[in-house]
């Protein structure tokens, strides 16, 4: 009698397992909201030139976008007011990041490979990029907002 009960119990468990697994497979998988990979609008840009001042100097007429894609590519379209008009700084290439460090690799206007390095911070939809400048110790600081 116990043997028969155990066989029926085992058969019942084996029959119900595929149904339970099928239910798990059809349940929707929640999607994570994009956080870092997005398009950002430039809000501010400033330059820290330690030979001139210990305080960063803000650029005028900042605009444009920076798109960071999950495949590691980026598209930059930065505009600044200057020289009586608007200056454009367009770049596209690859980026990589680890912890709070980021690099942007691209080809400059003369066809030469270039890599810019710095740090980033993303908080409350604002992305702050602090990039190493020239000469060493100088910095470019960008503030962007996720679109």
């Amino acid at each position: 009698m116990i043997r028969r009960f155990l066989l029926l119990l085992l058969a019942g468990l084996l029959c119900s397992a595929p149904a339970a697994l099928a239910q798990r497979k059809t349940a929707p998988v929640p999607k994570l909201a994009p956080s870092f990979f997005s398009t950002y609008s430039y809000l501010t840009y400033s330059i820290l030139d330690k030979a001139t001042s210990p305080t960063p100097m803000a650029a005028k007429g900042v605009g444009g976008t920076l798109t960071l894609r999950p495949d590691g590519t980026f598209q930059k379209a930065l505009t600044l007011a200057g020289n009586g008009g608007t200056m454009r700084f367009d770049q596209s290439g690859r980026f990589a990041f680890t912890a709070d460090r980021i690099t942007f690799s691209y080809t400059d206007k003369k066809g030469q490979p270039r890599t810019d390095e710095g740090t980033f911070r993303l908080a409350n939809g604002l992305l702050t990029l602090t990039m190493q400048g020239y000469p060493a110790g100088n910095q470019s600081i960008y503030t962007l907002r996720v679109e």
Side-chain angles (χ1 to χ4, degrees), residues 4-70:
R4 189 173 184 190
F5 174 75
L6 290 175
L7 284 174
L8 287 173
L9 180 63
L10 181 60
L13 289 173
L14 290 174
C15 289
S16 65
L21 288 173
Q23 286 177 344
R24 283 188 209 157
K25 288 181 182 176
T26 59
V29 176
K31 291 186 178 183
L32 296 176
S35 57
F36 182 73
F37 305 110
S38 192
T39 297
Y40 298 86
S41 297
Y42 283 94
L43 300 177
T44 65
Y45 169 57
S46 56
I47 301 166
L48 175 60
D49 181 354
K50 290 184 177 180
T52 307
S53 170
T55 306
M57 179 179 65
K60 303 274 188 221
V62 177
T65 60
L66 173 66
T67 301
L68 302 174
R69 297 182 191 94

Side-chain angles (χ1 to χ4, degrees), residues 74-89:
F74 77 92
Q75 185 74 38
K76 175 181 177 180
L78 173 64
T79 58
L80 302 171
N83 296 334
T86 301
M87 298 184 297
R88 294 189 58 89
F89 298 91

Side-chain angles (χ1 to χ4, degrees), residues 61-137:
V62 177
T65 60
L66 173 66
T67 301
L68 302 174
R69 297 182 191 94
D71 67 357
T73 60
F74 77 92
Q75 185 74 38
K76 175 181 177 180
L78 173 64
T79 58
L80 302 171
N83 296 334
T86 301
M87 298 184 297
R88 294 189 58 89
F89 298 91
D90 296 337
Q91 298 168 352
S92 61
R94 301 201 58 81
F95 74 96
F97 64 95
T98 9
D100 68 341
R101 308 281 311 156
I102 192 163
T103 60
F104 293 94
S105 300
Y106 57 96
T107 303
D108 68 14
K109 290 181 181 182
K110 296 179 182 177
Q112 298 299 309
R114 181 170 173 161
T115 299
D116 295 332
E117 299 180 30
T119 61
F120 74 94
R121 181 174 183 264
L122 179 61
N124 301 320
L126 291 179
L127 175 64
T128 303
L129 299 171
T130 303
M131 307 305 292
Q132 296 173 4
Y134 181 83

